[in-house]
Amino acid sequence: MDLQEIIDDIHRALQPRLGEGKVADYIPQLAHVDPRKFGMAIIDLDGRIYKAGDCDEPFSIQSVSKVFTLTLALGKHGETTWNRVGREPSGSAFNSIVQLEHESGKPRNPFINAGAIAVSDLVLAGHTPKEAIAEIVRFVQYLADDPSITIDPEVARSETATGFRNFALANFMKSFGRLEHPVEHVLGVYFHQCALAMTCTQLARSGLFLAANGKNPLTGHTVVSSQRARRINALMLTCGHYDGSGDFAYHVGLPGKSGVGGGILAVAPGRASVAVWSPGLNDNGNSLIGSLALEMLANRTGWSVFGAPAA
């Protein structure tokens, strides 16, 4: 199986459709991104890299960062993390407040906005906001083995200035006693983690530990236990695409986490880590062309957690 040929074919096939979908213009800084951008990178467990398109151009990873902050929170708090946030698919929009009211301010899962805000509160424990943000950046740099990864300050400012719904979610949770730190501190951490800027190549490298039972095969470092890696993958599969998670599982069949910057991190356990970027979003807030690219990749490779590829 020639992965470079496959990824090049996918890029060629999708070329006429680049620009489809709607860029996340409710975050002003993201409204300026060229909707025709497309990048894709695959890194296998032996460290071989396969690239196509704008795979080495940094973009705002937004909610893809929630995978990394959840991993940090689990490292700090273990299974008590789930006292603060659930593990069930939401079936609602990523920024919905409806379920919070029905469920006493406890978010459904760590990948919707309310859940990620609760996780940011956990990561903040024992730190100032600046220290927590620095810890998140260092952790992602460690995962990617790349100290050049940083936060885009313009995106962070843009989110802080316009994140009224996230302020509402955080204040609502605070009213139920679900946040331990001041709302402004928690949201400072949350907005900055979402403003991480990474390339597809860096993002694929960062997710490689989830494809390799919790160990980074390129550095030899154990990031999490194999059991924890499986559980993070399970949450990515069931909750990683908001109320489009079932559709993504049906069409792609791999754990994945999307972000409104147009990025998706997908994991083929035991095989590879994949990152794709295309800024135009579908109605669920997931990359339209990125999702199609991953579906084409799954079809061509046979990669799926639901069955082995045909011999």
Side-chain angles (χ1 to χ4, degrees):
M1 183 167 60
D2 187 336
L3 283 174
Q4 188 59 55
E5 181 181 338
I6 289 172
I7 200 173
D8 287 339
D9 285 348
I10 291 170
H11 187 203
R12 276 192 295 271
L14 291 174
Q15 198 78 35
R17 299 190 60 178
L18 297 185
E20 290 186 19
K22 188 177 189 302
V23 172
D25 54 8
Y26 60 89
I27 299 173
Q29 200 64 22
L30 298 186
H32 307 311
V33 179
D34 181 354
R36 292 188 55 80
K37 291 288 185 180
F38 174 85
M40 193 170 187
I42 303 171
I43 303 183
D44 68 18
L45 299 197
D46 294 319
R48 291 183 290 260
I49 304 175
Y50 309 90
K51 303 180 182 184
D54 305 301
C55 59
D56 289 317
E57 180 174 334
F59 63 93
S60 184
I61 70 167
Q62 292 293 309
S63 289
V64 182
S65 65
K66 295 170 184 176
V67 174
F68 308 129
T69 48
L70 173 63
T71 305
L72 266 181
L74 287 168
K76 282 173 169 280
H77 302 279
E79 291 299 296
T80 62
T81 299
W82 308 119
N83 296 334
R84 304 282 297 280
V85 62
R87 298 189 295 267
E88 294 294 332
S90 65
S92 299
F94 59 86
N95 56 2
S96 173
I97 202 169
V98 175
Q99 282 173 334
L100 279 178
E101 184 161 16
H102 287 298
E103 296 170 10
S104 303
K106 182 176 181 179
R108 274 284 177 97
N109 66 69
F111 295 149
I112 54 175
N113 287 18
I117 290 168
V119 170
S120 295
D121 189 55
L122 289 168
V123 172
L124 189 51
H127 291 310
T128 66
K130 282 187 178 179
E131 289 169 344
I133 293 163
E135 182 182 29
I136 292 167
V137 174
R138 283 195 303 270
F139 182 56
V140 175
Q141 290 173 340
Y142 161 75
L143 293 177
D145 196 24
D146 187 340
S148 71
I149 293 168
T150 188
I151 286 168
D152 184 328
E154 292 298 323
V155 173
R157 276 194 288 272
S158 186
E159 294 209 49
T160 303
T162 59
F164 305 115
R165 190 174 292 235
N166 288 316
F167 274 99
L169 292 169
N171 278 297
F172 201 74
M173 287 190 286
K174 185 73 171 175
S175 74
F176 280 101
R178 297 290 184 178
L179 298 181
E180 294 183 353
H181 300 88
V183 164
E184 293 78 11
H185 292 184
V186 177
L187 287 175
V189 174
Y190 175 73
F191 290 139
H192 280 81
Q193 75 171 57
C194 288
L196 276 164
M198 298 175 71
T199 68
C200 288
T201 306
Q202 291 169 331
L203 188 56
R205 194 177 285 122
S206 297
L208 199 55
F209 76 100
L210 293 171
N213 290 316
K215 186 174 183 178
N216 186 329
L218 307 187
T219 63
H221 297 155
T222 296
V223 180
V224 296
S225 67
S226 58
Q227 181 187 59
R228 183 160 290 167
R230 287 197 304 273
R231 288 178 169 174
I232 294 170
N233 281 335
L235 285 164
M236 290 171 71
L237 183 73
T238 56
C239 308
H241 282 73
Y242 315 119
D243 47 335
S245 297
D247 199 54
F248 187 83
Y250 180 85
H251 286 285
V252 179
L254 295 173
K257 182 70 198 84
S258 67
V260 296
I264 302 175
L265 172 65
V267 178
R271 298 179 182 276
S273 174
V274 186
V276 63
W277 171 49
S278 181
L281 308 179
N282 62 21
D283 291 340
N284 299 121
N286 305 311
S287 174
L288 192 156
I289 299 299
S291 299
L292 286 174
L294 290 167
E295 181 178 3
M296 293 168 74
L297 178 68
N299 288 339
R300 288 285 298 273
T301 59
W303 292 348
S304 171
V305 298
F306 298 113

